[in-house]
């Protein structure tokens, strides 16, 4: 099983550009989340979803949008990239609130 | 609001010895789950162990055990018989049924030969 797949793995953007980070899971899990990890720090929750059609904000939602039209996909949109959004982004999926989250391999984003 | 605190930025342990990584949490919910993840230098997130707030026994998974003290709101990870491959970042995380999983700042563990 592929589990959680993130694309792309690496991306360089110019300030002001927009882009979408893709996340797909094949485990039929209801919970999906996006995190960012800055150097030497923990993961901070950007947005999450508890099922198709339902999304909510996490700790650091500003500058990001999400939607969840299917169980499988949970894309993260950067509206107007800023250097402060340079980070590693992780997508995760879990079956329920009390079960482990499975993580994608991460997307390393650099905004110049 | 949830808060996860890991007070040890870095820890050293001698190979084959045990080490305890500290984690405290804060939540107003009665139902919640506590998780530990390992992040090696390659960057992937590896799930280690889970403890539910209503579990009466401390969780164990091989060389990993979780020292859960509910009244003190602590969920410390104990790694027994440390190996060189245990050198990594370790993150404590919590999720209750009103929020999604949130992480502490992490502890960098270095195992010395």
């Amino acid at each position: 099983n592929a589990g959680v797949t993130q694309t792309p793995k690496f991306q360089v953007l110019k300030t002001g550009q927009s882009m979408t980070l893709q996340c797909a899971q094949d485990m039929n899990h209801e919970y999906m989340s996006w995190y960012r990890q800055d150097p030497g720090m923990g993961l901070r929750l950007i947005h999450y979803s508890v099922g198709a059609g339902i999304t909510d904000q996490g700790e650091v939602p500003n500058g990001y949008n999400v939607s969840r039209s299917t169980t499988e996909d949970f894309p993260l949109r950067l509206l107007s990239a800023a250097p402060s959004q340079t980070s590693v982004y992780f997508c995760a999926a879990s079956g329920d609130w009390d079960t482990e989250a499975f993580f994608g391999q991460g997307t390393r984003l650099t905004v110049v | 609001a949830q808060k996860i605190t890991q007070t040890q930025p870095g820890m050293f342990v001698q190979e084959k010895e045990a080490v305890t990584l500290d984690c405290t949490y804060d939540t107003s919910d009665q139902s919640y789950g506590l998780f530990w993840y390992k992040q090696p230098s390659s960057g992937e997130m590896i799930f280690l162990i889970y403890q539910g707030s209503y579990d009466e026994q401390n969780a164990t998974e091989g060389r990993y055990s979780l020292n859960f003290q509910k009244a003190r709101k602590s969920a410390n990870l104990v790694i027994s018989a440390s190996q060189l491959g245990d050198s990594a970042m370790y993150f404590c995380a919590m999720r209750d049924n009103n929020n999604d999983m949130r992480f502490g700042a992490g502890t960098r563990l270095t195992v010395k030969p």
Side-chain angles (χ1 to χ4, degrees):
Chain A
N1 285 342
V4 179
T5 303
Q6 290 183 236
T7 54
K9 289 186 171 52
F10 301 94
Q11 182 71 49
V12 178
L13 286 180
K14 293 183 179 179
T15 298
Q17 286 185 317
S18 63
M19 80 159 293
T20 298
L21 305 186
Q22 301 291 345
C23 177
Q25 54 109 352
D26 62 0
M27 300 175 287
N28 201 35
H29 283 345
E30 292 295 329
Y31 283 65
M32 295 188 76
S33 314
W34 276 103
Y35 297 88
R36 61 176 288 173
Q37 184 178 26
D38 299 318
M41 297 180 65
L43 281 72
R44 290 186 291 169
L45 181 65
I46 305 171
H47 286 285
Y48 65 101
S49 169
V50 298
I54 306 169
T55 64
D56 208 344
Q57 295 182 350
E59 304 164 89
V60 288
N62 293 341
Y64 308 95
N65 274 355
V66 292
S67 59
R68 184 98 179 269
S69 56
T70 67
T71 299
E72 293 77 21
D73 300 300
F74 191 42
L76 178 73
R77 297 182 189 85
L78 279 70
L79 308 173
S80 177
S84 60
Q85 293 178 305
T86 293
S87 191
V88 178
Y89 291 83
F90 286 97
C91 178
S94 55
D96 208 339
W97 69 271
D98 59 350
T99 58
E100 68 181 278
F102 296 88
F103 283 80
Q105 292 299 304
T107 295
R108 186 174 295 275
L109 175 68
T110 302
V111 182
V112 297
Chain B
Q2 296 171 306
K3 185 174 181 180
I4 317 299
T5 303
Q6 294 180 254
T7 57
Q8 306 156 313
M11 288 283 287
F12 291 88
V13 64
Q14 206 67 36
E15 193 178 8
K16 300 181 184 178
E17 293 185 348
V19 63
T20 298
L21 307 183
D22 294 342
C23 174
T24 59
Y25 60 91
D26 189 21
T27 179
S28 56
D29 284 353
Q30 296 302 308
S31 296
Y32 51 88
L34 297 155
F35 304 80
W36 277 91
Y37 281 83
K38 172 184 178 181
Q39 187 178 45
S41 57
S42 52
E44 70 265 35
M45 296 291 290
I46 302 169
F47 167 73
L48 295 178
I49 196 166
Y50 167 80
Q51 178 86 41
S53 59
Y54 290 112
D55 294 340
E56 304 220 341
Q57 302 283 337
N58 285 342
T60 60
E61 289 286 348
R63 294 186 299 112
Y64 304 109
S65 60
L66 202 152
N67 184 0
F68 180 47
Q69 298 186 44
K70 192 170 182 177
R72 298 180 62 182
K73 292 189 174 179
S74 74
N76 299 338
L77 176 71
V78 180
I79 305 174
S80 63
S82 297
Q83 302 172 355
L84 295 178
D86 294 336
S87 293
M89 284 290 289
Y90 288 82
F91 293 102
C92 178
M94 181 179 71
R95 181 163 58 202
D96 58 35
N97 56 9
N98 292 318
N99 293 284
D100 209 342
M101 191 178 291
R102 309 212 179 189
F103 287 78
T107 296
R108 181 172 298 281
L109 177 67
T110 302
V111 181
K112 295 182 173 181

